[in-house]
Amino acid sequence: MKNYLLIFTIFSFFIGFSQTNSEFDYEKYSNPNPENELSLYFKNEIKKKLLRNARFQTKKNNITLSFFINNERKPYNISVSSFGSSDFNKAVISAFKEFPLDKFKSDSLDTRNKYSLQIVSKKGSKNIFNCSTKLVVETPPVCEQCEDLKFYPDIKSCLNLEVRKLFYEKADFRILDNSTEEETDLYIQFSVTKSGELKMTKKTRVPFEFLSEADKIISSFPKVKTVSYKADKKIEPLHSFTITFKKGKTPKLINKEVKYDSLFKRSSTNELALYFIDKLKNIDINIASLSSIKNQVNLYFELDKKNKVINVNTTSRSDFLDKKIIEIFNEYPVEKLNFKSKEPLKRYFLQILKYKDDKVFVETNSLIGSEKIPLFPGCENSVNYEGAKKCFSRGVQMHFAKKFDIDLPKKIGLSKGRKRVFIAFKINTKGKIVNILVKAPHPRIKEEVIKVMKEMPKIEPGTQGGEPVNIKYSIPFTLIVE
């Protein structure tokens, strides 16, 4: 028997999320049809090879697409649920942006809703485009503090923020002072019930002695004013967040905006801001779709070895505004930018637009900030930021290839086929891998993965604004047993 370890690496910060905790029946509620207009459109636009290679998530019998609506009535934050199929996902997202949403004959597209649809299902052993004819509409649970928000992701984030605030204000963190760990990530997951109460779930990961305290805080949160619906049926969405506890210190909610304003001296009167004010029209600024929660549009870029700006992107919810900001920035002389520090393998960032007091206006950094991902040993000479990420991935792959017991699946009698493993971990400010969490098809596989992760070499820590920071990653990989 041969055993192959294939790793598909996804780097991502963990943030609070919202999802339903039960499988949704797209066949019943969205009328999928392989001959409808969207299915035929995707068949024409997406290469057959990409469709063949699209993978389904564990225990899923379809691939779905979800999105939100901005002030231009255009989709943003489009995501596709296929597993480890980045080329397929990118092609689908690009094609969907060009598909007229009015083809769905929706009564209205609301910025406060989330929309989803099925795009792929199985026909025998083949993947086929079998798209929903009707959009599935999901509304978020809304608490009193978040009623004035107009965008689904902001309403979701607002509820998470309010619950986090309650923990910082009310939780007795002294309970954890006798913990054996110097630093602990308290992962809190809760559902919003159909009656509007908040309920802690079994997936919450905190020290045993803190469980009761966490449950008490969650239960004390006032009932939400509006519960969540999907396809007009009440659902119980899941939310989560993480609080880092350091032994002997009481966690505090840090206002990063105040810190970054101080570090990077954001202003509407510096030379870069005046340049953007001259180039951006009010009509451009007004489509930014910002709020008190998402209160800025940031721009990210890299420098190549010749000091030329490359790989520019923004956090805009508007494709039109994104392209316009990038076009304007690319015309600005790089030598006029005031860098806090310039080093290889850094990604630089600055604010372009700010939302405050119900207004959106230009406000840019006077001092350009930077961030650097953790570097795997041997990746110091990578060509650029993206190259360093790929090098990190290769480093992890090679480490697993050397250290993982490839005979283990045979020893434990694991059945043939693809076995998916998910790893979550943190690289702390000292370059150590900590807080390893693994989801695997067998306890022995889980133990082996944790052992291999603990044997990883020391990594150069990531930085933000020149300071070492903790960075959390998730890595899914597929174990193919033959």
Side-chain angles (χ1 to χ4, degrees), residues 410-450:
K410 183 179 180 179
K411 293 175 186 174
I412 61 178
L414 212 58
S415 59
K416 293 181 181 180
R418 293 176 178 269
K419 310 298 176 184
R420 289 174 183 169
V421 179
F422 295 87
I423 314 169
F425 62 95
K426 179 168 73 175
I427 300 174
N428 67 16
T429 56
K430 296 179 181 178
K432 292 184 179 180
I433 291 179
V434 296
N435 297 350
I436 304 167
L437 299 168
V438 179
K439 184 178 180 181
H442 192 282
R444 291 279 301 280
I445 297 291
K446 180 178 178 179
E447 289 172 9
E448 179 70 7
V449 169
I450 291 174

Short mmCIF file of all heavy atoms in Angstrom, two decimals, residues 410-450:
data_model
loop_
_atom_site.label_atom_id
_atom_site.label_comp_id
_atom_site.label_asym_id
_atom_site.label_seq_id
_atom_site.Cartn_x
_atom_site.Cartn_y
_atom_site.Cartn_z
N LYS A 410 -1.75 2.69 7.23
CA LYS A 410 -1.82 1.22 7.10
C LYS A 410 -1.85 0.56 8.47
O LYS A 410 -2.62 -0.38 8.71
CB LYS A 410 -0.60 0.74 6.31
CG LYS A 410 -0.59 -0.77 6.06
CD LYS A 410 0.63 -1.17 5.24
CE LYS A 410 0.65 -2.67 4.99
NZ LYS A 410 1.82 -3.08 4.18
N LYS A 411 -1.04 1.08 9.39
CA LYS A 411 -0.99 0.49 10.74
C LYS A 411 -2.34 0.55 11.45
O LYS A 411 -2.71 -0.37 12.18
CB LYS A 411 0.06 1.24 11.58
CG LYS A 411 1.49 1.05 11.13
CD LYS A 411 2.42 1.93 11.97
CE LYS A 411 3.85 1.90 11.47
NZ LYS A 411 4.71 2.87 12.21
N ILE A 412 -3.06 1.63 11.25
CA ILE A 412 -4.33 1.80 11.97
C ILE A 412 -5.52 1.34 11.14
O ILE A 412 -6.67 1.44 11.58
CB ILE A 412 -4.54 3.27 12.40
CG1 ILE A 412 -4.59 4.19 11.18
CG2 ILE A 412 -3.46 3.70 13.38
CD1 ILE A 412 -4.84 5.65 11.55
N GLY A 413 -5.25 0.80 9.94
CA GLY A 413 -6.32 0.26 9.12
C GLY A 413 -7.24 1.30 8.51
O GLY A 413 -8.44 1.06 8.34
N LEU A 414 -6.68 2.45 8.17
CA LEU A 414 -7.49 3.51 7.57
C LEU A 414 -7.96 3.08 6.18
O LEU A 414 -7.17 2.55 5.40
CB LEU A 414 -6.66 4.79 7.47
CG LEU A 414 -7.40 6.13 7.61
CD1 LEU A 414 -8.13 6.24 8.94
CD2 LEU A 414 -6.41 7.28 7.47
N SER A 415 -9.23 3.27 5.88
CA SER A 415 -9.79 2.84 4.60
C SER A 415 -9.23 3.66 3.45
O SER A 415 -8.72 4.77 3.64
CB SER A 415 -11.31 2.97 4.63
OG SER A 415 -11.69 4.31 4.87
N LYS A 416 -9.32 3.13 2.22
CA LYS A 416 -8.81 3.81 1.05
C LYS A 416 -9.60 5.08 0.77
O LYS A 416 -10.77 5.20 1.14
CB LYS A 416 -8.89 2.89 -0.17
CG LYS A 416 -7.97 1.69 -0.11
CD LYS A 416 -8.11 0.86 -1.38
CE LYS A 416 -7.20 -0.36 -1.32
NZ LYS A 416 -7.33 -1.19 -2.55
N GLY A 417 -8.93 6.03 0.10
CA GLY A 417 -9.61 7.26 -0.30
C GLY A 417 -8.91 8.50 0.23
O GLY A 417 -7.84 8.44 0.83
N ARG A 418 -9.55 9.65 0.00
CA ARG A 418 -9.02 10.93 0.46
C ARG A 418 -9.45 11.19 1.89
O ARG A 418 -10.65 11.14 2.20
CB ARG A 418 -9.52 12.07 -0.44
CG ARG A 418 -8.99 12.03 -1.85
CD ARG A 418 -9.63 13.13 -2.69
NE ARG A 418 -9.11 13.14 -4.04
CZ ARG A 418 -8.06 13.86 -4.43
NH1 ARG A 418 -7.44 14.64 -3.56
NH2 ARG A 418 -7.62 13.81 -5.68
N LYS A 419 -8.51 11.49 2.73
CA LYS A 419 -8.80 11.81 4.14
C LYS A 419 -8.35 13.24 4.39
O LYS A 419 -7.18 13.58 4.19
CB LYS A 419 -8.04 10.86 5.08
CG LYS A 419 -8.21 9.39 4.73
CD LYS A 419 -9.64 8.92 4.81
CE LYS A 419 -9.75 7.46 4.36
NZ LYS A 419 -11.16 7.02 4.33
N ARG A 420 -9.25 14.08 4.82
CA ARG A 420 -8.92 15.49 5.01
C ARG A 420 -8.58 15.80 6.45
O ARG A 420 -9.24 15.35 7.38
CB ARG A 420 -10.09 16.35 4.53
CG ARG A 420 -10.21 16.31 3.01
CD ARG A 420 -11.42 17.01 2.49
NE ARG A 420 -11.50 16.87 1.04
CZ ARG A 420 -12.55 17.19 0.33
NH1 ARG A 420 -13.62 17.69 0.90
NH2 ARG A 420 -12.55 17.02 -0.98
N VAL A 421 -7.55 16.57 6.60
CA VAL A 421 -7.05 16.96 7.92
C VAL A 421 -6.96 18.49 7.95
O VAL A 421 -6.51 19.10 6.99
CB VAL A 421 -5.67 16.35 8.20
CG1 VAL A 421 -5.15 16.78 9.58
CG2 VAL A 421 -5.73 14.83 8.11
N PHE A 422 -7.42 19.09 9.04
CA PHE A 422 -7.35 20.55 9.20
C PHE A 422 -6.51 20.87 10.43
O PHE A 422 -6.74 20.33 11.51
CB PHE A 422 -8.75 21.15 9.34
CG PHE A 422 -9.60 20.99 8.11
CD1 PHE A 422 -10.34 19.84 7.92
CD2 PHE A 422 -9.64 21.98 7.14
CE1 PHE A 422 -11.11 19.68 6.78
CE2 PHE A 422 -10.41 21.82 6.01
CZ PHE A 422 -11.15 20.67 5.81
N ILE A 423 -5.56 21.78 10.24
CA ILE A 423 -4.69 22.19 11.34
C ILE A 423 -4.84 23.69 11.55
O ILE A 423 -4.80 24.46 10.59
CB ILE A 423 -3.20 21.90 11.05
CG1 ILE A 423 -3.01 20.50 10.49
CG2 ILE A 423 -2.36 22.10 12.29
CD1 ILE A 423 -1.61 20.28 9.93
N ALA A 424 -5.01 24.10 12.78
CA ALA A 424 -4.98 25.51 13.15
C ALA A 424 -3.85 25.69 14.15
O ALA A 424 -3.66 24.85 15.03
CB ALA A 424 -6.31 25.96 13.74
N PHE A 425 -3.10 26.77 14.01
CA PHE A 425 -2.00 27.00 14.94
C PHE A 425 -1.64 28.48 14.94
O PHE A 425 -2.10 29.26 14.10
CB PHE A 425 -0.77 26.16 14.57
CG PHE A 425 -0.20 26.45 13.21
CD1 PHE A 425 0.86 27.33 13.05
CD2 PHE A 425 -0.71 25.84 12.09
CE1 PHE A 425 1.40 27.60 11.80
CE2 PHE A 425 -0.18 26.10 10.82
CZ PHE A 425 0.87 26.97 10.68
N LYS A 426 -0.81 28.84 15.88
CA LYS A 426 -0.36 30.23 15.99
C LYS A 426 1.16 30.26 16.03
O LYS A 426 1.79 29.44 16.69
CB LYS A 426 -0.94 30.88 17.25
CG LYS A 426 -0.50 32.33 17.45
CD LYS A 426 -1.31 33.02 18.53
CE LYS A 426 -0.96 32.55 19.91
NZ LYS A 426 -1.67 33.30 20.96
N ILE A 427 1.72 31.22 15.29
CA ILE A 427 3.16 31.50 15.41
C ILE A 427 3.29 32.73 16.28
O ILE A 427 2.83 33.82 15.91
CB ILE A 427 3.81 31.73 14.03
CG1 ILE A 427 3.64 30.48 13.16
CG2 ILE A 427 5.29 32.07 14.19
CD1 ILE A 427 4.12 30.64 11.75
N ASN A 428 3.87 32.57 17.47
CA ASN A 428 3.88 33.69 18.42
C ASN A 428 5.03 34.66 18.13
O ASN A 428 5.78 34.50 17.17
CB ASN A 428 3.90 33.18 19.87
CG ASN A 428 5.21 32.47 20.24
OD1 ASN A 428 6.23 32.60 19.56
ND2 ASN A 428 5.18 31.73 21.33
N THR A 429 5.13 35.66 18.96
CA THR A 429 6.11 36.74 18.72
C THR A 429 7.55 36.27 18.87
O THR A 429 8.48 36.98 18.52
CB THR A 429 5.86 37.91 19.69
OG1 THR A 429 5.90 37.41 21.04
CG2 THR A 429 4.51 38.55 19.42
N LYS A 430 7.74 35.03 19.39
CA LYS A 430 9.08 34.48 19.51
C LYS A 430 9.38 33.45 18.42
O LYS A 430 10.44 32.81 18.43
CB LYS A 430 9.25 33.84 20.90
CG LYS A 430 9.15 34.86 22.03
CD LYS A 430 9.30 34.20 23.38
CE LYS A 430 9.18 35.22 24.51
NZ LYS A 430 9.29 34.58 25.85
N GLY A 431 8.43 33.27 17.49
CA GLY A 431 8.64 32.34 16.39
C GLY A 431 8.31 30.90 16.71
O GLY A 431 8.62 30.00 15.93
N LYS A 432 7.67 30.67 17.85
CA LYS A 432 7.29 29.31 18.24
C LYS A 432 5.88 29.00 17.77
O LYS A 432 5.01 29.87 17.76
CB LYS A 432 7.38 29.15 19.75
CG LYS A 432 8.80 29.20 20.30
CD LYS A 432 8.80 28.94 21.80
CE LYS A 432 10.22 28.95 22.36
NZ LYS A 432 10.24 28.71 23.82
N ILE A 433 5.65 27.73 17.40
CA ILE A 433 4.31 27.29 17.01
C ILE A 433 3.59 26.81 18.25
O ILE A 433 4.04 25.90 18.95
CB ILE A 433 4.39 26.17 15.95
CG1 ILE A 433 4.91 26.76 14.64
CG2 ILE A 433 3.03 25.53 15.73
CD1 ILE A 433 5.07 25.78 13.52
N VAL A 434 2.46 27.45 18.54
CA VAL A 434 1.69 27.16 19.75
C VAL A 434 0.20 27.02 19.40
O VAL A 434 -0.21 27.27 18.28
CB VAL A 434 1.87 28.27 20.82
CG1 VAL A 434 3.32 28.34 21.28
CG2 VAL A 434 1.43 29.63 20.27
N ASN A 435 -0.56 26.61 20.38
CA ASN A 435 -2.02 26.48 20.24
C ASN A 435 -2.41 25.66 19.00
O ASN A 435 -3.21 26.09 18.16
CB ASN A 435 -2.70 27.86 20.17
CG ASN A 435 -2.52 28.66 21.43
OD1 ASN A 435 -2.04 28.15 22.44
ND2 ASN A 435 -2.88 29.92 21.39
N ILE A 436 -1.84 24.48 18.90
CA ILE A 436 -2.11 23.60 17.75
C ILE A 436 -3.44 22.89 17.94
O ILE A 436 -3.66 22.24 18.96
CB ILE A 436 -0.98 22.56 17.58
CG1 ILE A 436 0.38 23.26 17.45
CG2 ILE A 436 -1.24 21.68 16.37
CD1 ILE A 436 1.57 22.32 17.60
N LEU A 437 -4.32 23.01 16.96
CA LEU A 437 -5.60 22.33 16.97
C LEU A 437 -5.74 21.53 15.68
O LEU A 437 -5.47 22.05 14.59
CB LEU A 437 -6.75 23.33 17.09
CG LEU A 437 -6.76 24.19 18.36
CD1 LEU A 437 -7.76 25.33 18.22
CD2 LEU A 437 -7.10 23.34 19.58
N VAL A 438 -6.14 20.27 15.79
CA VAL A 438 -6.20 19.39 14.62
C VAL A 438 -7.54 18.68 14.55
O VAL A 438 -8.05 18.18 15.55
CB VAL A 438 -5.07 18.34 14.67
CG1 VAL A 438 -5.15 17.40 13.46
CG2 VAL A 438 -3.71 19.00 14.72
N LYS A 439 -8.10 18.64 13.34
CA LYS A 439 -9.28 17.83 13.06
C LYS A 439 -8.87 16.76 12.07
O LYS A 439 -8.42 17.07 10.96
CB LYS A 439 -10.40 18.70 12.48
CG LYS A 439 -11.71 17.96 12.26
CD LYS A 439 -12.78 18.90 11.72
CE LYS A 439 -14.08 18.14 11.50
NZ LYS A 439 -15.13 19.04 10.94
N ALA A 440 -8.96 15.49 12.47
CA ALA A 440 -8.45 14.40 11.64
C ALA A 440 -9.42 13.21 11.67
O ALA A 440 -10.25 13.10 12.58
CB ALA A 440 -7.07 13.98 12.13
N PRO A 441 -9.30 12.29 10.69
CA PRO A 441 -10.24 11.16 10.63
C PRO A 441 -9.96 10.06 11.65
O PRO A 441 -10.72 9.10 11.73
CB PRO A 441 -10.04 10.63 9.20
CG PRO A 441 -8.64 11.01 8.85
CD PRO A 441 -8.40 12.32 9.52
N HIS A 442 -8.86 10.18 12.41
CA HIS A 442 -8.52 9.15 13.40
C HIS A 442 -7.66 9.79 14.49
O HIS A 442 -6.80 10.62 14.20
CB HIS A 442 -7.76 8.01 12.72
CG HIS A 442 -7.61 6.78 13.56
ND1 HIS A 442 -6.67 6.69 14.58
CD2 HIS A 442 -8.27 5.60 13.54
CE1 HIS A 442 -6.76 5.50 15.14
NE2 HIS A 442 -7.73 4.81 14.54
N PRO A 443 -7.87 9.40 15.76
CA PRO A 443 -7.09 9.98 16.87
C PRO A 443 -5.58 9.83 16.68
O PRO A 443 -4.81 10.73 17.03
CB PRO A 443 -7.57 9.20 18.10
CG PRO A 443 -8.94 8.73 17.74
CD PRO A 443 -8.90 8.47 16.28
N ARG A 444 -5.13 8.70 16.09
CA ARG A 444 -3.69 8.50 15.89
C ARG A 444 -3.13 9.47 14.85
O ARG A 444 -1.98 9.91 14.96
CB ARG A 444 -3.42 7.04 15.46
CG ARG A 444 -3.66 6.00 16.55
CD ARG A 444 -2.48 5.91 17.52
NE ARG A 444 -1.24 5.54 16.83
CZ ARG A 444 -0.90 4.32 16.46
NH1 ARG A 444 -1.74 3.30 16.71
NH2 ARG A 444 0.26 4.09 15.88
N ILE A 445 -3.94 9.76 13.84
CA ILE A 445 -3.51 10.75 12.84
C ILE A 445 -3.37 12.11 13.50
O ILE A 445 -2.41 12.84 13.27
CB ILE A 445 -4.52 10.82 11.66
CG1 ILE A 445 -4.60 9.49 10.92
CG2 ILE A 445 -4.15 11.96 10.70
CD1 ILE A 445 -3.37 9.13 10.14
N LYS A 446 -4.34 12.44 14.34
CA LYS A 446 -4.30 13.72 15.07
C LYS A 446 -3.04 13.82 15.92
O LYS A 446 -2.34 14.84 15.91
CB LYS A 446 -5.55 13.85 15.94
CG LYS A 446 -5.62 15.13 16.74
CD LYS A 446 -6.91 15.21 17.54
CE LYS A 446 -6.95 16.48 18.38
NZ LYS A 446 -8.23 16.58 19.15
N GLU A 447 -2.73 12.75 16.66
CA GLU A 447 -1.54 12.74 17.51
C GLU A 447 -0.27 12.92 16.68
O GLU A 447 0.65 13.66 17.07
CB GLU A 447 -1.47 11.40 18.27
CG GLU A 447 -2.52 11.26 19.36
CD GLU A 447 -2.53 9.86 19.96
OE1 GLU A 447 -1.60 9.07 19.64
OE2 GLU A 447 -3.46 9.53 20.71
N GLU A 448 -0.21 12.24 15.52
CA GLU A 448 0.97 12.32 14.67
C GLU A 448 1.15 13.73 14.11
O GLU A 448 2.27 14.25 14.06
CB GLU A 448 0.85 11.30 13.52
CG GLU A 448 2.01 11.29 12.55
CD GLU A 448 3.30 10.74 13.15
OE1 GLU A 448 3.28 10.24 14.30
OE2 GLU A 448 4.34 10.82 12.46
N VAL A 449 0.05 14.35 13.69
CA VAL A 449 0.12 15.71 13.15
C VAL A 449 0.62 16.69 14.22
O VAL A 449 1.48 17.53 13.96
CB VAL A 449 -1.25 16.16 12.59
CG1 VAL A 449 -1.24 17.66 12.27
CG2 VAL A 449 -1.61 15.37 11.35
N ILE A 450 0.09 16.57 15.43
CA ILE A 450 0.51 17.45 16.52
C ILE A 450 2.00 17.25 16.82
O ILE A 450 2.75 18.21 17.00
CB ILE A 450 -0.34 17.20 17.79
CG1 ILE A 450 -1.77 17.69 17.55
CG2 ILE A 450 0.27 17.92 19.00
CD1 ILE A 450 -2.74 17.35 18.68
#
